Amino acid sequence: MDFAYDARTEELRGRLLAFLTEHVHPAEALAQQQRAAQADPWVQPPVVAELQREARRQGLWNLFLPDARYGAGLTNVQYAPLAELTGRSPQLAPTALNCAAPDTGNMELLAEFGTAEQRERWLVPLLAGEIRSAFAMTEPDVASSDATNIETRIERDGDAYVITGRKWYISGAMNPACRVFIVMGKTDPDGADVRRQQSMVLVPRDAPGVEVRRAMQVYGYADHYHGGHAEVVFDRVRVPVDHLVGDEGGGFAIAQARLGPGRIHHCMRLIGMAERAIELMCRRATGRTAFGRPLAAQGQVQAWIADARVSVEQLRLLVLKTAWLMDTVGNRGAHTEIQAIKIATPRAVAHIIDQAVQLHGGGGVGQDFPLAELWAAARTLRLADGPDEVHQRSLARRELKRYGAGS
């Protein structure tokens, strides 16, 4: 279904759809071949740089940034249908447009909270696609869904901070183009306010004591396109005090500010992933015969496709409502809706992709179709940026508070 978006959004949608059709989708197989042929699988395939040059030439670059000083200056409502289109090729399209996580969130963070010097050193090359970055928050030894559990220490020592800790599933860290980590740790571990104990610092990848130890797999996938999800050790890493982002004790609030847009961007792309799955289901159903009848004539298959269409339309409206609220009343005012889409979208999209896998039989779990990798990505997003249960708990408490309960 097409919505009546404003003229600028419609124009960008048309250009982006043409770019994806003419350049990105035809390059998917080539990108896989180039990566397989490289000695270092984490190096970006050459075709990605070609796509990025073409995207910049066409003005399809940094579309995600609402700050017009740095990006396209689009609202969340304007960006939503564009991000959805990139979700149809989630491994390639966002990177081609310089709209891929975790760089998107890191660029937003630096644009809002970084100093002039920090923006010049890190934001400018990130905006140009010259380097990549990583956001180091999650830890293996504590339940990181509760950020107050973080154990990494950031200790002041004269004119430097000393960082000690172990992180994992740090997206982008395996990519040799990753040049900087935004590290969240505790500067005041015994502080009375548990939400003022954390701070964030910028840590160059080549700083002494930084060890990118290994790549973490996601359902057996290495996720090369996003630069891997690494385990990283910070062994008494020293950085100057001017590498602090914001103020001491501001890390928790900055993380929340960063995660809000990240969550809606994931949900926007998930809808595109669902659309890709529905397209593959329909093509399979009309082109495959079993027990003397086309799969499209099977009642169960028809029900799967119908239910998938209903789910996608519902999700899209909820995501658009959330985007509108973020634009009009801010992330805090859209808190309930952000949590709602984060609960509903990955769950529903993973189910749709799972049914598309079922319809493809053995092909659905193999490499000849993108479905297995799409399912792994969607299922993972029920954990990334906060697991379902954390959002359910918070949303329920806000709902119950209206009735005098919810503690």
Side-chain angles (χ1 to χ4, degrees), residues 28 32 88-91 221 273 276-277 280 353 357 360 363-377:
E28 290 173 340
Q32 291 182 347
R88 296 178 63 87
S89 182
Q91 296 284 34
Y221 290 102
M273 292 163 61
R276 182 88 183 263
L280 289 167
I353 298 169
V357 169
H360 283 72
V365 299
Q367 69 269 37
D368 291 346
F369 298 93
L371 291 167
E373 205 160 3
L374 289 177
W375 181 89

Side-chain angles (χ1 to χ4, degrees), residues 327-402:
D327 290 336
T328 55
V329 298
N331 294 359
R332 186 178 295 274
H335 188 260
T336 295
E337 285 74 14
I338 290 172
Q339 291 182 316
I341 61 172
K342 184 60 176 62
I343 295 166
T345 312
R347 181 188 298 170
V349 172
H351 180 65
I352 290 169
I353 298 169
D354 185 68
Q355 290 180 321
V357 169
Q358 194 74 9
L359 190 57
H360 283 72
V365 299
Q367 69 269 37
D368 291 346
F369 298 93
L371 291 167
E373 205 160 3
L374 289 177
W375 181 89
R379 180 60 183 84
T380 302
L381 286 173
R382 292 185 61 190
L383 293 168
D385 292 348
D388 290 358
E389 293 76 15
V390 170
H391 295 294
Q392 288 172 316
R393 174 177 178 268
S394 178
L395 196 155
R397 291 173 68 182
R398 291 168 68 91
E399 195 73 13
L400 287 164
K401 192 175 292 185
R402 299 164 54 196

